[in-house]
Amino acid sequence: MGMTIPTVDMTTTGENILRLRKRAGLSVVDLNKVFGFTNLNAIYKWQNGKCMPTIDNLIILADLLNVTVDEIIARKTITTI
């Protein structure tokens, strides 16, 4: 019998990052300056649901966007075999 477990919905989390960034009036370049990345790819990957910020970066991002980490991360459930 399968068991349901929570997991991160990467696509919706990325959409949340994009929406919350815009609501905060911050650009991708603004975020890039804060995180000190060498290019904008990481931020775009977050927004496109291709990867997640590290836990440290997620905490910083939540603070910058004036939200909680839970407001950024979207959950979904999956059923295991």
Side-chain angles (χ1 to χ4, degrees), residues 11-51:
T11 301
T12 304
T13 297
E15 291 167 356
N16 289 345
I17 292 170
L18 175 62
R19 177 180 48 81
L20 294 167
R21 176 186 61 75
K22 288 182 176 182
R23 186 180 80 182
L26 296 169
S27 70
V28 171
V29 172
D30 293 333
L31 292 185
N32 198 62
K33 286 179 185 174
V34 170
F35 291 105
F37 300 142
T38 56
N39 60 55
L40 305 176
N41 289 344
I43 311 261
Y44 284 121
K45 285 180 180 179
W46 295 350
Q47 293 182 163
N48 291 322
K50 302 296 181 199
C51 69

